[in-house]
Amino acid sequence: MSHRGRKLAALFITLFVLGLVLNNIAGRTRASEEAAAEAAKAAAPAARPLAPLYVPRPASMIGGYGGALTPQSSPQEVAQAFAGVYIKYDPDSNSPDSFVPGLPRLASDASDKVSAQLSADWDKHLSKIGDSVTVTSVSDPGAADVEAGKVKVSVVMNTGEDSEALRLDLELEQEEVGWVVTSVTLDGA
């Protein structure tokens, strides 16, 4: 082999080895870039989910309106929440003693009295109403009574086509948790 042939052979071998080295470096670089990208994906904060759609819950899931009461709730809101739950009493599914603790904002010292009158209210009024009871009006207590911390509120409910309207007269007092029901009277409107 001539001198020129040896130089050409050395050049081809050098180029071949250089190609292998560059290929090896490129492979390692690509693998490290992929590993870095995977690590960045794992370390990146999760994509923020879309805001959920508001789906109103049925009243049975939140205990009538009772789940929405706050200490700042007005006497009318407390009376409406109380009435919405009170009229759902059914002796087939609950005893008065197990139903009364679920009434929203009932004063603890009024529990026994309300529990005792619940059966009579069922016999006289609640057994005759249907499932489509709606509150038609809630009376406004006087401003002086609200300031004094004792009010009387009447809730009138439409009980359907074939039965008369009901009026629930409630006495409420202001306490630390807000307005609480101290007396209940259920009559036809």
Side-chain angles (χ1 to χ4, degrees):
M1 204 186 238
S2 70
H3 181 62
R4 190 175 195 181
R6 278 186 266 169
K7 279 189 170 186
L8 276 175
L11 180 65
F12 283 124
I13 292 173
T14 305
L15 287 176
F16 180 74
V17 171
L18 183 62
L20 288 176
V21 170
L22 290 176
N23 188 25
N24 190 6
I25 292 171
R28 288 184 184 177
T29 304
R30 192 175 320 121
S32 65
E33 285 175 355
E34 289 173 0
E38 290 295 322
K41 280 183 185 178
R48 188 172 182 181
L50 296 174
L53 294 175
Y54 172 73
V55 179
R57 294 179 288 172
S60 61
M61 288 180 63
I62 59 174
Y65 293 95
L69 295 177
T70 66
Q72 292 76 31
S73 294
S74 69
Q76 296 93 327
E77 291 170 330
V78 172
Q80 185 172 353
F82 185 89
V85 176
Y86 190 82
I87 61 169
K88 291 185 175 143
Y89 171 69
D90 183 5
D92 294 336
S93 59
N94 286 323
S95 70
D97 292 333
S98 65
F99 181 77
V100 168
L103 290 170
R105 296 284 181 89
L106 180 64
S108 58
D109 56 345
S111 295
D112 292 336
K113 183 180 174 190
V114 172
S115 183
Q117 78 183 48
L118 199 53
S119 295
D121 285 346
W122 168 260
D123 292 336
K124 192 172 181 183
H125 298 290
L126 299 176
S127 62
K128 297 171 180 69
I129 63 174
D131 292 336
S132 60
V133 177
T134 57
V135 173
T136 55
S137 68
V138 180
S139 67
D140 289 328
D145 292 337
V146 172
E147 287 296 319
K150 281 189 164 192
V151 297
K152 292 182 180 182
V153 177
S154 294
V155 180
V156 178
M157 295 166 281
N158 182 1
T159 59
E161 295 174 11
D162 54 345
S163 58
E164 65 180 22
L166 291 178
R167 187 181 77 236
L168 190 64
D169 294 322
L170 303 171
E171 292 181 15
L172 295 98
E173 288 184 11
Q174 179 72 38
E175 292 187 2
E176 287 182 22
V177 295
W179 290 96
V180 294
V181 176
T182 58
S183 175
V184 179
T185 307
L186 182 63
D187 281 316

